[in-house]
Amino acid sequence: KAKNIMKLSTTCTLLALALCFPSITGLACPAPLRLQKLLEAEMDGSRESEMPILMPCCYDGLTARLVTRAGFDATFMTGFGVSAVNGYPDTQLVSYGEMQSATATVAEGLSSAALEMGRDPIPCIADGDTGYGN
């Protein structure tokens, strides 16, 4: 039991270091910074690919995992998709809590797929939708 606690403590310490000091630890670059670098490279012409940045949409954990495993550089979480998967039309019927839950599920899907592949999670732009005054 003590060995597992020590392992967990080490993992948490490494994660904290990676998030706070990615250049020192050589571990994961935070997704917002990766997105910023990707967009800057596109704008200044230093990006290696001639293809535009393709960002397929995701709306749940499965689609997030599929996008990651397909090798895309970034993705976005669509409000329409979240509405549809919950059985609603895209007419501002999804609550703030439901959108927050979908965001957490997508983030977990992106992280777990990236971990399985041995790479950093891809950045995700979330469409927060509207209508939270209800």
Side-chain angles (χ1 to χ4, degrees):
K1 195 170 188 176
K3 197 176 204 179
N4 287 341
I5 291 172
M6 181 64 113
K7 212 184 245 187
L8 180 61
S9 175
T10 302
T11 302
C12 290
T13 302
L14 287 174
L15 180 59
L17 284 172
L19 292 174
C20 297
F21 306 103
S23 59
I24 294 172
T25 60
L27 296 175
C29 176
L33 184 58
R34 291 187 65 213
L35 180 61
Q36 179 183 356
K37 288 179 180 181
L38 179 66
L39 295 175
E40 286 173 354
E42 179 69 21
M43 296 300 290
D44 68 19
S46 64
R47 193 165 154 258
E48 294 177 15
S49 176
E50 293 290 322
M51 297 290 294
I53 300 170
L54 299 177
M55 293 177 44
C57 68
C58 61
Y59 47 85
D60 62 9
L62 176 61
T63 55
R65 291 178 60 81
L66 291 172
V67 168
T68 299
R69 294 185 64 83
F72 289 97
D73 292 324
T75 186
F76 72 96
M77 188 186 86
T78 168
F80 169 77
V82 173
S83 294
V85 80
N86 283 297
Y88 301 124
D90 192 20
T91 54
Q92 305 174 1
L93 295 175
V94 175
S95 72
Y96 179 80
E98 289 170 315
M99 191 61 71
Q100 189 176 27
S101 176
T103 303
T105 302
V106 165
E108 177 61 32
L110 294 171
S111 294
S112 63
L115 182 64
E116 290 168 4
M117 297 173 66
R119 56 182 277 196
D120 290 341
I122 63 173
C124 179
I125 298 172
D127 171 7
D129 219 18
T130 56
Y132 300 123
N134 58 0

